[in-house]
Amino acid sequence: MQEQNQNVYSKAENIRDVLRYVRRFKDATVVIYIDDRIINTPLFTSHISDICMIHETGLQVVIVPGARQRIDEVLTQACISWRIEQGCRITGENAMPLIKMAAFDVSNKIMTSLAGERKTAVIGNWVRARGKGIRNGVDFTTSGEIDKIQTDAVKTILSNHFIPIFPCIGWSTAGKPYNISSLQLAAEVARRLTADKLFFLIPNACINSSYFIVPQGISSTKDGQIPALNLDEAALFLKANTNKTITEEINPYNFLHILKMLIPMSIDACNSGVSRVHILNGLLDGSIPCEIFSDFGSGTMIYKSNYGGIRNMTTDDIPAVLNLIRPFVERDILLPRTEESLATLYEDYIVYELDGGIRACAALHTYANGQAEIAAVAVDESFSHLGIGPNLIHYLLGRARNLQCKSVFIMTTQTADWFESLGFKSDVIETLPEERKKRWSPERGSKLYRKNL
């Protein structure tokens, strides 16, 4: 019965997470960059279906397709040479009609796939560009830079529930076309629309400790995936991997090279008003809805603020805290709490909120003789690897010091090793405050551990 209850609880929590995110991101603007190498994979139709699904939930979707592979193919067939400098394609003026054709070809494929899902998409010339010109002796010829985006026109399209598609072409005021970077275009569109989310869907885009150097203090999942980086962590991660190389055998899509461009773009986008940037592996089925409708998602999120943190508990948190501690009560790790007891003592509690969901809690109860008790420590097991538990303890120890407590104790039946690892030492029950000693039960047999401050 206990196992069945836990299974139902886990399923219910997953459903609650999805509904919470649906409510949170309704009418949000999402810009999605799709690498054109994904278009020729079996997963492309699945990604399009997922994009249509999130559009149905009320999100406003903008698509910016990459076209590098298709442009390579067209120019190769025409025996036109090119080279890449600073992420830009350099070729002769005779290549521009073919580059434009290839860019619109990719956009048309996406529009056709959306039409198959009964979604109306619009391909537009909303980007005004200027030539990069000659820099440090390099003539960038057909490569351009974004000058202006007609955001009013795009917002009108979004308000009519259509999906705008941006080919990687910009036009000068005189009507001359330029080839612009799709990655930069996606970031710039997101910035100028003040998008809530910017997605980079790229093959093999996996920010994992197996491939990269992960600086100390950056959290990862059990399999080494980095689910989120704040702006400081993103800059630290980039610095640690500046000289990193990854062989083609390990990462055939040269994601490291792309990542070194994406992280600065992501940091700049977040500093310019984009709420969050998500780097996703386009070879994983379901990566887009997973990233939107779950706390950890499937890729790596770069964010500025308002993602997760410790705060004081409020009475509104009581139902979520009761749900959080229920599995620990059922396993006899924690004593049961009631809604009434939490309402009475809620000022003693702190919670860890992650994207609007309560994922951990703990309490600090103080006594007259300078002792304090840390109690009701519970961390959602799906998030235990992030170091939330130790952070809660250190936070409450700091609070106890500010209250000029002499020592902090805990009572436990099953987590003694964990508290010992945090510096708590075994002590005898006789040292408890009289008020707390009266509530100690020999039948339960909780052990006492203490940390002097």
Side-chain angles (χ1 to χ4, degrees), residues 136-441:
N136 297 321
V138 177
D139 188 348
F140 285 88
T141 60
T142 58
S143 289
E145 291 183 334
I146 299 167
D147 193 24
K148 181 180 179 181
I149 294 175
Q150 297 177 27
T151 54
D152 289 344
V154 176
K155 288 177 180 178
T156 298
I157 291 167
L158 291 171
S159 68
N160 287 317
H161 307 293
F162 297 161
I163 299 177
I165 301 174
F166 280 76
C168 57
I169 303 295
W171 283 263
S172 71
T173 53
K176 182 178 180 179
Y178 287 102
N179 183 199
I180 54 181
S181 163
S182 299
L183 292 172
Q184 292 177 352
L185 176 58
E188 190 65 14
V189 169
R191 188 179 73 83
R192 301 206 184 193
L193 290 175
T194 318
D196 298 272
K197 288 181 175 290
L198 167 60
F199 288 90
F200 290 107
L201 192 64
I202 299 169
N204 227 26
C206 182
I207 304 181
N208 192 289
S209 58
S210 300
Y211 298 149
F212 300 103
I213 299 169
V214 181
Q216 187 175 5
I218 293 179
S219 301
S220 61
T221 62
K222 293 178 181 178
D223 59 1
Q225 177 74 17
I226 300 175
L229 294 166
N230 62 37
L231 298 192
D232 291 337
E233 290 171 337
L236 190 64
F237 176 85
L238 181 62
K239 183 178 179 181
N241 290 276
T242 297
N243 299 319
K244 178 76 173 176
T245 58
I246 299 178
T247 64
E248 188 173 336
E249 289 75 16
I250 295 176
N251 194 313
Y253 290 95
N254 196 18
F255 175 61
L256 176 61
H257 173 71
I258 297 173
L259 184 63
K260 289 178 180 179
M261 295 189 292
L262 285 185
I263 289 184
M265 283 183 193
S266 300
I267 292 173
D268 181 64
C270 288
N271 281 326
S272 300
V274 178
S275 298
R276 298 171 187 181
V277 180
H278 304 258
I279 299 171
L280 307 181
N281 185 353
L283 301 183
L284 289 179
D285 192 9
S287 56
I288 295 175
C290 248
E291 189 71 11
I292 293 179
F293 299 125
S294 65
D295 287 308
F296 283 143
S298 61
T300 298
M301 178 179 74
I302 297 175
Y303 66 100
K304 187 173 183 179
S305 61
N306 300 324
Y307 176 57
I310 296 171
R311 62 169 175 80
N312 293 328
M313 176 178 164
T314 69
T315 53
D316 291 338
D317 300 321
I318 290 176
V321 170
L322 287 172
N323 279 331
L324 176 69
I325 67 174
R326 184 178 297 117
F328 298 93
V329 172
E330 292 173 350
R331 288 153 54 192
D332 202 31
I333 296 174
L334 291 180
L335 290 169
R337 270 80 175 172
T338 64
E339 186 173 346
E340 291 75 17
S341 67
L342 289 180
T344 301
L345 297 172
Y346 78 92
E347 292 180 338
D348 290 358
Y349 281 77
I350 59 172
V351 296
Y352 187 94
E353 182 179 10
L354 186 67
D355 236 2
I358 304 301
R359 298 307 179 189
C361 68
L364 181 74
H365 307 307
T366 56
Y367 298 90
N369 62 352
Q371 295 190 54
E373 177 186 12
I374 290 178
V377 180
V379 180
D380 187 323
E381 289 190 349
S382 300
F383 302 81
S384 59
H385 60 282
L386 293 181
I388 296 172
N391 287 343
L392 293 176
I393 300 301
H394 293 316
Y395 185 94
L396 290 180
L397 288 174
R399 177 173 288 185
R401 290 188 184 94
N402 291 335
L403 294 172
Q404 298 183 336
C405 296
K406 297 176 182 178
S407 68
V408 174
F409 66 87
I410 61 96
M411 308 293 293
T412 182
T413 58
Q414 300 178 38
T415 57
D417 291 338
W418 187 73
F419 280 104
E420 284 183 330
S421 72
L422 296 174
F424 286 80
K425 307 290 184 182
S426 178
D427 203 351
V428 294
I429 298 300
E430 287 72 22
T431 62
L432 284 173
E434 288 301 320
E435 177 185 347
R436 183 65 180 85
K437 193 186 302 182
K438 292 177 182 178
R439 301 200 308 272
W440 180 76
S441 166

